[in-house]
Amino acid sequence: MDYELDESKYLYLLFIIPVIVLIFLYNLYWKRKKQREFGNPELVKKLSPERSTFKSTLKLIALLLALTSVIIALVGPKIGTKTETVKREGVDIVFAIDVSKSMLAEDVQPSRLTKSKQIVSQIINSLGSDRIGIIGYAGSAYPVLPITTDYSVAKMFLQSMNTDMVSSQGTAITDALQLAETFYDNPKTSKLLILVSDGEDHGEGSQEAANEARKKGIKIITIGVGTEKGGPIPLRDGNGRITGYKKDMQGETVTTKLYPDALKTIATATKGGYVYGGSTKEITDYVKNALQNIEKTEFESKEVALYETQFQWFLGAAFILLFLDIFLLERKTRWIKKLNLFNEKE
């Protein structure tokens, strides 16, 4: 995505101009005061008959205009020349993120859920003009953010996701896929579902749900987060301190593991793909390559004004004014004498 830098901050430099004027006036006052101390002003004037008050004022004006031109050039003024129709093309991408308690396991650091959010955030950063939506699911599916092109808002909602947002526990992959189908509001747009999970409890009903998704033109990429060795599920108090680990009915500590086969089955059913969530860079590269093989469709077009930067004219004016300021001598010239703007003739 392209962003234009806001250079309007350089306008604050214009406050330098009144400061320079005040310094000039104070210097003028100081000189006249010293002249009065030296002797009679009329006598001092006769001793330096060629000195022009107007020329020093003219030099100041040239300097101030040059400075103003430089500041305006820094701002980068633009003038609209024509309008153009800009078409926005891309893929509708829905992220379905597992927020079941097993995602609290810390067999990947800092935790499976935190790692999942980091992965999704980096994928979003790598996207171009695609639209995105977010779903959280455990025992049921929950819409976090409907389809949008506002990536900054998407990442804000993403970071707020936690295992308490869905009250019922389990892994309702079928509900997640069915909810994702409602996010795709444009039947002509290519559809991609990126499912991030540890794959636990995904077996029952997941195959049928994936088949239904394929029939509706949804391709699924699954990302497995966790390790096949697994780890316990920590229990924390209100301050975030670990107070113990989740136990089963027999009082044994529960060990949750990554089940890649379940995730691979879901992806294969839609002719998508599975990738292990170990390296974030490898995942973003995988998704970028996958998107290159998905047809982009137009979902927005609008008229925009094209602007051309005009800073060069102001820089040119500043150069000419500085040239004049340097070569203007503070002595009277014939045309200055004729004008007699400051009643300098005797």
Side-chain angles (χ1 to χ4, degrees):
M1 299 178 73
D2 296 328
Y3 297 91
E4 290 189 5
L5 296 176
D6 181 13
E7 306 295 356
S8 59
K9 59 180 179 292
Y10 290 114
L11 290 174
Y12 289 109
L13 294 174
L14 291 173
F15 287 111
I16 297 173
I17 293 175
V19 173
I20 295 174
V21 172
L22 289 174
I23 293 173
F24 173 79
L25 293 175
Y26 176 77
N27 183 59
L28 197 63
Y29 165 77
W30 180 82
K31 283 182 178 180
R32 289 182 177 178
K33 182 181 178 182
K34 291 299 179 181
Q35 287 174 357
R36 285 194 295 270
E37 291 176 359
F38 180 77
N40 187 289
E42 291 298 321
L43 180 61
V44 172
K45 186 176 181 180
K46 288 180 179 179
L47 290 173
S48 55
E50 298 300 316
R51 183 170 183 81
S52 171
T53 304
F54 173 72
K55 288 291 262 314
S56 60
T57 304
L58 186 62
K59 283 174 66 66
L60 174 67
I61 293 173
L63 176 63
L64 294 180
L65 288 175
L67 182 60
T68 303
S69 297
V70 170
I71 293 171
I72 294 174
L74 287 173
V75 174
K78 298 179 179 63
I79 298 176
T81 56
K82 62 180 180 179
T83 59
E84 185 177 277
T85 302
V86 176
K87 296 180 180 180
R88 194 180 183 115
E89 296 181 335
V91 177
D92 279 351
I93 305 172
V94 175
F95 295 95
I97 302 171
D98 189 348
V99 291
S100 58
K101 295 296 183 183
S102 64
M103 296 296 285
L104 294 174
E106 298 176 346
D107 51 345
V108 292
Q109 294 297 319
S111 72
R112 293 179 186 177
L113 181 57
T114 304
K115 179 67 174 179
S116 298
K117 292 193 284 188
Q118 291 172 353
I119 290 170
V120 172
S121 181
Q122 288 303 313
I123 292 174
I124 292 173
N125 289 340
S126 69
L127 298 177
S129 58
D130 307 290
R131 300 196 304 173
I132 59 175
I134 302 175
I135 290 171
Y137 73 97
S140 59
Y142 179 82
V144 176
L145 181 71
I147 210 84
T148 181
T149 55
D150 194 330
Y151 292 175
S152 59
V153 170
K155 288 191 285 188
M156 181 180 67
F157 275 87
L158 172 68
Q159 295 307 317
S160 68
M161 296 180 70
N162 57 72
T163 57
D164 296 324
M165 63 189 299
V166 179
S167 57
S168 57
Q169 286 303 303
T171 313
I173 181 64
T174 302
D175 288 356
L177 294 179
Q178 289 175 348
L179 179 60
E181 292 171 6
T182 66
F183 274 49
Y184 302 112
D185 54 359
N186 188 342
K188 297 180 180 179
T189 306
S190 298
K191 305 169 183 64
L192 176 65
L193 175 65
I194 299 179
L195 189 145
V196 189
S197 175
D198 54 20
E200 195 169 56
D201 297 331
H202 276 45
E204 188 176 350
S206 60
Q207 180 72 49
E208 293 78 6
N211 289 334
E212 285 298 318
R214 185 190 72 249
K215 292 176 183 178
K216 296 180 180 179
I218 302 173
K219 181 172 287 190
I220 301 176
I221 292 176
T222 55
I223 301 172
V225 181
T227 62
E228 293 187 48
K229 181 181 178 181
I233 301 172
L235 303 175
R236 300 179 183 272
D237 60 17
N239 296 319
R241 292 190 295 264
I242 296 177
T243 58
Y245 294 92
K246 186 177 180 181
K247 298 182 183 300
D248 60 18
M249 298 294 291
Q250 288 73 38
E252 298 292 330
T253 300
V254 174
T255 299
T256 175
K257 302 177 181 180
L258 170 66
Y259 291 88
D261 290 341
L263 297 173
K264 290 176 182 177
T265 300
I266 294 170
T268 303
T270 63
K271 296 183 180 180
Y274 167 81
V275 57
Y276 174 62
S279 169
T280 303
K281 184 180 184 305
E282 287 181 8
I283 296 169
T284 53
D285 289 343
Y286 182 90
V287 173
K288 283 164 64 174
N289 290 332
L291 287 172
Q292 290 177 359
N293 296 320
I294 298 177
E295 182 183 358
K296 305 294 188 296
T297 50
E298 179 186 334
F299 53 79
E300 183 183 43
S301 63
K302 59 182 178 180
E303 295 286 331
V304 296
L306 298 180
Y307 295 93
E308 288 186 359
T309 304
Q310 306 296 324
F311 73 93
Q312 65 273 11
W313 299 105
F314 294 93
L315 281 180
F319 177 79
I320 294 171
L321 289 165
L322 287 173
F323 183 84
L324 290 173
D325 180 72
I326 292 171
F327 289 96
L328 275 174
L329 301 177
E330 293 188 5
R331 296 175 57 188
K332 293 179 182 179
T333 53
R334 291 181 180 179
W335 66 275
I336 293 293
K337 289 179 180 179
K338 290 180 180 179
L339 288 175
N340 194 31
L341 295 174
F342 290 86
N343 297 317
E344 293 175 320
K345 291 181 179 180
E346 295 183 3

